[in-house]
Amino acid sequence: MNLTLVDVMTGMLSGADLEQSRKTIGELRGVFADEPARQRMPQDRVVYRVQAHMPVEAKKPGGLFFGTSTVEPGTVGGEYFMTRGHFHSRRETGEYYWCIKGEGLLLLMGEDRKTVSLNMTPGVLAYIPGFTAHRLVNTGAEPLVVGACWPADAGHDYATIDREGFSVRVMCVNGKPELVEA
Ligand code: NI
């Protein structure tokens, strides 16, 4: 069996069965409130990266995936850099997130669109229940690094969030994060 390694200080994965992806400003059309501001920014600037260890086929019942997300510091029109966010395709599936580095917020939104935010600082372990959309927001000056573990058959439903968004946005107001209604 090929070895896969996780650096517990940085969250970085190396070795076998890894997938890497990233999202740039240019790929996040419609995600931030201020679309003209997004268009004025360098389109190749990276907003976040994901490394994932996927040892089984996606959708395989009983399997688990493990990943690390790194959200860069920055804002678009005063709105902090964040992930697209998603519900799981299989709505009942949960997930663990744990913060490794940086500071930020984890937004959790139920199907009733009620949103709560959890402070993500190193060491925080967050259980994301089923039927709950989740998004990471980097409110700090350093990269926000968060580990994750989720069922292989959970799937990602990005379309619902693309269409309806989250019910709150996290804005930088006088240098501090403030939640505003979307
Ligand atoms: Ni998830």
Side-chain angles (χ1 to χ4, degrees):
M1 200 169 188
N2 294 320
L3 200 61
T4 307
L5 299 169
V6 56
D7 181 326
V8 295
M9 300 307 288
T10 65
M12 294 302 102
L13 302 175
S14 59
D17 299 320
L18 296 182
E19 301 210 353
Q20 324 243 7
S21 65
R22 50 185 230 165
K23 286 278 175 249
T24 61
I25 284 287
E27 293 170 310
L28 294 173
R29 170 178 282 274
V31 170
F32 296 93
D34 190 341
E35 183 60 16
R38 186 194 66 86
Q39 288 173 16
R40 287 193 300 270
M41 293 173 70
Q43 298 297 292
D44 58 356
R45 183 165 166 192
V46 173
V47 177
Y48 64 94
R49 297 179 172 78
V50 180
Q51 284 190 303
H53 179 237
M54 305 177 105
V56 298
E57 265 170 73
K59 299 188 178 166
K60 184 154 184 158
L64 291 171
F65 291 154
F66 184 104
T68 301
S69 297
T70 302
V71 185
E72 297 296 330
T75 55
V76 178
E79 186 174 9
Y80 289 105
F81 278 11
M82 61 186 175
T83 61
R84 288 171 76 192
H86 59 267
F87 283 99
H88 290 160
S89 304
R90 285 191 55 183
R91 286 290 194 273
E92 73 277 19
T93 52
E95 182 164 1
Y96 274 114
Y97 272 13
W98 58 95
C99 185
I100 298 164
K101 288 179 86 168
E103 59 181 309
L105 296 174
L106 170 60
L107 296 184
L108 297 174
M109 182 177 76
E111 291 185 308
D112 58 4
R113 297 189 58 74
K114 283 197 182 125
T115 299
V116 297
S117 72
L118 289 180
N119 287 316
M120 294 300 270
T121 54
V124 169
L125 177 66
Y127 180 70
I128 300 163
F131 304 94
T132 304
H134 32 295
R135 162 178 281 170
L136 287 168
V137 184
N138 186 351
T139 59
E142 305 295 326
L144 173 67
V145 184
V146 174
C149 186
W150 68 101
D153 61 346
H156 292 91
D157 169 12
Y158 293 105
T160 300
I161 297 300
D162 284 347
R163 198 171 55 241
E164 300 170 10
F166 275 69
S167 58
V168 301
R169 292 186 175 277
V170 186
M171 309 300 294
C172 178
V173 180
N174 300 323
K176 291 202 178 132
E178 212 165 273
L179 268 59
V180 300
E181 268 183 53

